Amino acid sequence: MASNGQAEKVAEVEENVGDNGDTVTPWDVQSKSDKGIDYDKLIERFGCQRISDDLIQRIEKVIGQPVHPLLKRGIFFSHRDLEFILAQKEAGKPFYLYTGRGPSSESMHLGHLIPFVFTKWLQDAFDVPLVIQLTDDEKFLWKNLTIKETMKLAKENAKDIIACGFDLNKTFIFSNFRYIGQSPEFYQNIQLVAKNVTFNQAKGCFGFTESDSIGKIHFPSIEAAPSFSSSFPFIFGEDSNIPCLIPCAIDQDPFFRMTRDVAPRVGLHKPALIHSVFFPALQGAQSKMSASDETSAIFLTDTPEQIRTKITKYAFSGGQSTAEAQREKGANCEIDVTYQYLRFFYDDDEKLQEIKKVCTSAYL
Ligand code: TRP
């Protein structure tokens, strides 16, 4: 059973807005600060753990290679029970990866790629199976889309996800609308979770209100169930209880806080997690890149010309309070969006350092 050293906060996280005005739920991320979300505060509020340098070193020892830049640079910055997963690997015992995508747009954007790029690296480094949930049902419940439309979006997004290069023999991508009818075991686990979470807990965890549809209130049990290996009997066996590691952006944590609360009560492993920060919108780090706001996002289908236009037209750049300060001090890379994008995608540490130096010096 996964270690349970830390106090789990399920019903305790009653407020979805922190005292600093940061809002983080699976459906809404906003910060009052131009530096974006205060992640230290969020870690404390959610009750997860920051990934320490020691832990990174331990990962490198276990996999016998350097960690991915997204981990080294603190973009994946927080976790739950990652030590337990490493111990499994050290003992030669199995675990699997679970991540997902809510298909709300035809094309995915740069921010959507982050968990998949990182998950692909984890799959290679640990050589483990992976399941990917496409929550077309979630998008049907939350967006103004028909069932058919969300299923089509799931199919389109699956292509973008496959293009990340996952091991075909070790990866299962599924649409909820399709898979639930094919796997009684998946549906059974959904109900196992649903029975063990009260409306009060769901309200505390997700901010649901009495006027939300009962579909929304039940949905978290559907995102929870793939954390249990027995949802996939054709991969792991019917009565299996293989530990799971979930790479995701930290806004998904409430689903798995809930899952971790239920797991020991039904005799199953708690899923472990590794969380990323959000990918900033073109306009700046107060909000994350969003497919519903065209001008905030760079899509995988944008042409180089469209990307150039979006960057020059919308990308928040500079960051000093006056033009004069900007000339004297150069940009503030902490909030300069183009520099932040390089931190996510430009792997060469030395060159990135050079770019930062140029950007943060006075203009001549
Ligand atoms: N709800 C997620 C979204 O809207 C999709 C998702 C389902 C997911 N299962 C997951 C994301 C597990 C991360 C990990 O994008």
Side-chain angles (χ1 to χ4, degrees):
M1 190 74 25
S3 76
N4 187 13
Q6 80 222 53
E8 298 286 341
K9 301 186 178 179
V10 180
E12 290 139 72
V13 186
E14 290 290 348
E15 285 299 325
N16 289 303
V17 186
D19 49 19
N20 55 357
D22 286 357
T23 306
V24 178
T25 80
W27 306 284
D28 188 19
V29 174
Q30 270 172 50
S31 168
K32 292 253 182 316
S33 155
D34 56 10
K35 290 202 186 68
I37 301 291
D38 182 333
Y39 290 103
D40 283 321
K41 286 234 165 92
L42 196 61
I43 282 183
E44 207 180 297
R45 186 144 63 88
F46 280 8
C48 32
Q49 246 102 55
R50 189 169 269 285
I51 296 176
S52 65
D53 291 341
D54 282 354
L55 187 55
I56 290 187
Q57 276 173 19
R58 183 161 164 216
I59 299 170
E60 292 186 331
K61 209 168 140 210
V62 173
I63 59 179
Q65 56 175 285
V67 297
H68 193 280
L70 287 169
L71 186 48
K72 192 109 210 156
R73 291 180 185 167
I75 288 162
F76 278 82
F77 72 108
S78 152
H79 77 103
R80 293 181 188 272
D81 276 341
L82 194 54
E83 294 99 345
F84 168 69
I85 294 292
L86 292 176
Q88 281 285 113
K89 179 74 184 171
E90 280 164 343
K93 293 187 188 156
F95 75 93
Y96 71 103
L97 296 164
Y98 159 41
T99 190
R101 151 96 188 129
S104 58
S105 61
E106 189 103 4
S107 168
M108 288 171 44
H109 64 54
L110 289 187
H112 296 142
L113 274 185
I114 305 299
F116 291 108
V117 167
F118 188 65
T119 301
K120 146 84 179 140
W121 176 79
L122 283 173
Q123 181 178 49
D124 290 347
F126 287 94
D127 188 25
V128 282
L130 159 68
V131 299
I132 301 177
Q133 178 180 53
L134 301 175
T135 56
D136 39 14
D137 53 348
E138 177 187 16
K139 294 302 156 183
F140 170 65
L141 291 166
W142 263 268
K143 303 266 169 183
N144 188 19
L145 293 164
T146 65
I147 292 182
K148 286 261 154 11
E149 280 163 348
T150 59
M151 289 175 78
K152 180 164 181 286
L153 293 178
K155 202 165 181 182
E156 287 309 310
N157 286 186
K159 296 178 199 166
D160 285 339
I161 293 168
I162 290 166
C164 291
F166 296 105
D167 183 340
L168 286 183
N169 297 314
K170 291 201 166 137
T171 305
F172 177 54
I173 307 185
F174 62 98
S175 127
N176 280 342
F177 274 136
R178 286 173 204 277
Y179 185 57
I180 285 176
Q182 294 164 1
S183 171
E185 295 80 359
F186 182 34
Y187 184 58
Q188 287 158 21
N189 280 338
I190 290 169
Q191 293 302 66
L192 198 58
V193 176
K195 185 174 179 173
N196 284 285
V197 181
T198 65
F199 181 34
N200 263 336
Q201 282 176 318
K203 276 202 266 192
C205 217
F206 300 98
F208 293 138
T209 68
E210 315 258 322
S211 45
D212 278 310
S213 75
I214 56 174
K216 286 187 181 180
I217 292 152
H218 175 258
F219 173 77
S221 54
I222 305 177
E223 183 153 334
S227 314
F228 303 133
S229 62
S230 53
S231 296
F232 310 98
F234 64 97
I235 308 175
F236 303 112
E238 237 168 70
D239 293 315
S240 65
N241 184 14
I242 296 172
C244 170
L245 171 64
I246 305 173
C248 61
I250 195 156
D251 62 332
Q252 299 298 303
D253 187 70
F255 289 113
F256 304 113
R257 241 168 19 229
M258 180 195 86
T259 314
R260 287 168 56 87
D261 183 66
V262 172
R265 291 191 272 134
V266 296
L268 295 172
H269 281 297
K270 293 178 176 190
L273 288 126
I274 182 162
H275 302 117
S276 75
V277 300
F278 304 113
F279 193 73
L282 277 161
Q283 286 76 6
Q286 287 104 317
S287 57
K288 62 171 184 169
M289 189 170 270
S290 159
S292 1
D293 178 0
E294 279 270 332
T295 66
S296 82
I298 296 173
F299 291 95
L300 303 186
T301 44
D302 285 348
T303 64
E305 199 42 52
Q306 280 172 316
I307 295 174
R308 186 193 313 277
T309 311
K310 280 188 180 174
I311 294 274
T312 47
K313 208 162 156 190
Y314 303 119
F316 180 81
S317 169
Q320 305 297 353
S321 47
T322 63
E324 193 180 5
Q326 185 84 23
R327 272 192 299 278
E328 271 170 23
K329 299 186 195 156
N332 176 355
C333 282
E334 297 299 309
I335 54 180
D336 182 291
V337 167
T338 39
Y339 176 79
Q340 287 302 317
Y341 287 1
L342 292 176
R343 259 187 82 228
F344 280 81
F345 287 114
Y346 195 62
D347 287 354
D348 187 327
D349 284 330
E350 247 171 63
K351 284 218 175 108
L352 186 68
Q353 215 34 49
E354 274 172 36
I355 293 171
K356 185 169 185 177
K357 228 169 158 181
V358 173
C359 293
T360 51
S361 21
Y363 301 171
L364 296 175

